[in-house]
Amino acid sequence: MSDVSLPSPPEARTAAVIPAAGRGVRLGPGAPKALRALNGTPMLIHAVRAMAASRAVSLVVVVAPPDGTAEVKTLLDAHALPDRTDFLVVPGGDRRQESVKYGLDALPPGIDIVLVHDAARPLVPVDTVDAVIEAVRDGAPAVVPALPLADTVKEVEPAAVAGEPEPVVATPERARLRAVQTPQGFDRETLVRAHETVTDNVTDDASMVEQLGVRVVVVPGHAEAFKVTRPLDLVLAEAVLARRRLNDGF
C-alpha cells in the first residue's frame, strides 16, 4: 500500500444571486424596496452583507432594476463590504424569474453552488446561510430554509370581489406545513436546468426545481430571516438591528 496521500477534492465554490429589480409597491411609493433605508443603510446592503458574511460565499451577484445598475454599483462602492468576496451588478428583468436567470447567466465557471436570496430578507443570520450551503455540499440538489407555522392555515375559494367573505375549502394539517425563507441553495446545474425548462410564473426557485421532479429538502430557518414587505416589518427589522447592536457592542 502506498504512503502517498491523495489530494483532497476541491472545495465547492458558492455564489449568491440577489434579485433586487422589483419596485416593492406594498411598502408604498418611493424608492424600490431593496433601496429603502434600514437603520440608515439600504436593505440591499444589509442583504449583500448577510450573504458575504459566509466564508463559503466567494461571489455576490446583485440583479438591479434595468435602469438602476449604475446606482446600485455606486451603492456597493459606498459601503464597506468584505474584501474576500467579489461583487457583480447586472441588470434585471420584468419578473423575478427573469432577474434570477440573468444573475445565473453572469456566473463565471467554477461556481458549483448557487444561493438565491431575497433582498427583502436583510437580516438572515450567517448560520442559516451556512446550513443551506452545507446541505447542498452534502448532496442535496435543492435546499430551502423554513419555519413551522404558528397559525392554523385555511384553504379558501377566492372571492370574486376583494373583501367579500371567502368559503373555506380545507384545513391543511399544520404539522406538515412550513413557511419558506431564503437563501435557497442549489446545485448550479440543477438550477440552470430549471430556469431553462420551467416557464410557469412561480414564487420561488425551489418550485421550479420541484417541477423537474428533483427532490427539495428543508433545513431549519430563522425568525430573523423574515421578509420586509410592509411598513410594520421595517419597525421590526429596526428593533432586531437595535438588539444586535446592543448585544454585539456596535
Side-chain angles (χ1 to χ4, degrees):
M1 179 180 283
S2 172
D3 292 331
V4 178
S5 59
L6 295 174
S8 301
E11 187 91 326
R13 293 185 64 217
T14 301
V17 174
I18 304 180
R23 300 301 303 180
V25 293
R26 281 177 288 183
L27 274 177
K33 177 164 53 176
L35 304 185
R36 299 293 181 91
L38 180 57
N39 191 36
T41 301
M43 276 201 294
L44 175 61
I45 297 299
H46 287 286
V48 168
R49 286 174 174 165
M51 295 299 98
S54 171
R55 293 188 173 275
V57 174
S58 58
L59 170 67
V60 177
V61 178
V62 178
V63 188
D67 57 352
T69 306
E71 181 183 0
V72 170
K73 284 180 180 175
T74 300
L75 204 60
L76 293 181
D77 290 340
H79 290 83
L81 299 171
D83 291 335
R84 68 173 183 270
T85 310
D86 293 328
F87 300 93
L88 181 64
V89 180
V90 298
D94 294 332
R95 297 187 304 155
R96 183 184 184 281
Q97 253 173 289
E98 290 177 321
S99 293
V100 174
K101 174 77 163 56
Y102 294 155
L104 281 174
D105 290 345
L107 295 179
I111 296 294
D112 305 293
I113 296 172
V114 182
L115 304 179
V116 181
H117 183 57
D118 294 333
R121 297 184 191 271
L123 304 179
V124 57
V126 68
D127 287 352
T128 303
V129 180
D130 287 339
V132 171
I133 295 169
E134 193 61 34
V136 180
R137 281 182 176 166
D138 286 346
V143 179
V144 298
L147 293 176
L149 298 183
D151 299 319
T152 297
V153 175
K154 301 289 185 185
E155 181 183 352
V156 301
E157 184 65 41
V161 179
E164 290 291 313
E166 297 176 318
V168 170
V169 175
T171 303
E173 184 182 346
R174 189 172 64 184
R176 296 177 62 87
L177 301 177
R178 297 292 182 269
V180 173
Q181 302 175 325
T182 69
Q184 298 184 355
F186 305 90
D187 166 75
R188 179 180 181 172
E189 186 276 331
T190 299
L191 186 58
V192 168
R193 184 158 57 94
H195 275 270
E196 289 174 344
T197 307
V198 178
T199 57
D200 296 347
N201 192 17
V202 296
T203 56
D204 73 345
D205 295 271
S207 299
M208 301 176 72
V209 172
E210 288 170 46
Q211 290 190 41
L212 296 180
V214 174
R215 185 168 177 255
V216 178
V217 301
V218 169
V219 296
H222 197 282
E224 293 179 4
F226 64 91
K227 192 172 188 178
V228 177
T229 304
R230 297 174 177 84
L232 185 60
D233 299 326
L234 283 172
V235 176
L236 179 57
E238 294 278 5
V240 170
L241 284 173
R243 196 200 67 216
R244 286 184 182 180
R245 286 197 304 273
L246 189 64
N247 291 344
D248 298 338
F250 65 87

